[in-house]
Amino acid sequence: MQLWNSTSPEAPASTRRRRATAALDPRHTLLISCFDAALPLGRMGLAADGVPCAQVRSPAHLVAPWKNNAESENASLLLSLSMRETHDVVICGHVRCAALEVLLDGERDRQTFGLLSQVPAARATIELVRHNYGGLHRDALREVTAQENVLTQLDHLLTYPLLAQGGGPRVHAWLYDERDTSLWAYSFEESQFAHQISLR
């Protein structure tokens, strides 16, 4: 996987740097992933005795930024965080993501692109990639879009009061590459997906 330096805003990045890395306990881990990702949870350390960690799935693992109102899009994620003791939250993207392919090629499926582009969490990724990576070709653009989307949704996740405070659950950003079944962790110090995680 080619490594790209993050272009995400400085303020969320400073919040990211406060997040520590540690071994995960599936019984106390919440995974946020894409609904079409075939992730090997057992080999990723996200299942124990055949029982996977708690999961929230959405197209392109989109996370709505925090809004302080009862009817917000945050309800399902808040419930997942509050209904059991959560020590770690992992947001995991994947390179061969159908939703991201639509974002990269709006001409291919105008209706689906139109629906996705109305979602603020998706629109943030579209605008960031168009602004910063317009000159990249297909494969490189696919990789950088997958990486930047994980970081964009991570920034949204870190707007949640429970996760923004220092004593809350730890937050991890991972990217799974189906092409060679590799798993990469975002390095907060290096601001890139620099650490490959060994699958069991």
Side-chain angles (χ1 to χ4, degrees):
M1 171 177 292
Q2 186 168 353
L3 302 177
W4 304 90
N5 288 326
S6 169
T7 60
S8 301
E10 290 180 10
S14 66
T15 303
R16 290 182 201 154
R17 284 194 290 271
R18 291 201 295 270
R19 300 287 138 182
T21 57
L24 304 181
D25 179 349
R27 295 167 299 178
H28 300 290
T29 299
L30 173 65
L31 171 66
I32 300 171
S33 64
C34 180
F35 62 3
D36 74 334
L39 301 175
L41 298 183
R43 298 183 63 209
M44 293 165 70
L46 295 177
D49 301 322
V51 179
C53 62
Q55 298 179 61
V56 173
R57 299 176 70 130
S58 64
H61 55 84
L62 298 177
V63 175
W66 170 256
K67 291 181 183 176
N68 192 16
N69 72 62
E71 298 179 0
S72 74
E73 305 166 75
N74 313 123
S76 62
L77 182 52
L78 284 173
L79 281 170
S80 298
L81 285 168
S82 63
M83 287 183 70
R84 71 179 197 168
E85 187 179 6
T86 301
H87 298 167
D88 294 274
V89 179
V90 177
I91 184 161
C92 184
H94 65 125
V95 174
R96 290 184 172 170
C97 176
L100 291 183
E101 289 295 322
V102 170
L103 294 182
L104 288 172
D105 189 3
E107 294 299 317
R108 190 183 68 180
D109 190 338
R110 288 175 179 265
Q111 182 177 3
T112 308
F113 178 83
L115 288 171
L116 275 173
S117 64
Q118 297 305 307
V119 180
R123 196 162 57 244
T125 297
I126 297 170
E127 292 171 357
L128 187 151
V129 170
R130 284 181 175 170
H131 180 73
N132 294 290
Y133 303 103
L136 291 182
H137 295 295
R138 189 70 185 172
D139 287 341
L141 187 59
R142 178 184 289 114
E143 281 193 15
V144 77
T145 301
Q147 292 178 35
E148 288 290 1
N149 188 54
V150 172
L151 298 179
T152 297
Q153 306 316 316
L154 173 66
D155 289 341
H156 295 167
L157 189 62
L158 291 174
T159 63
Y160 286 61
L162 178 63
L163 301 175
Q165 61 191 15
R170 294 171 299 208
V171 177
H172 312 264
W174 291 359
L175 183 64
Y176 181 66
D177 191 340
E178 297 95 330
R179 297 170 300 182
D180 59 5
T181 64
S182 60
L183 180 64
W184 297 82
Y186 179 75
S187 166
F188 302 105
E189 293 77 19
E190 300 171 60
S191 298
Q192 58 185 354
F193 287 89
H195 298 159
Q196 187 169 2
I197 299 174
S198 296
L199 296 176
R200 299 175 180 177

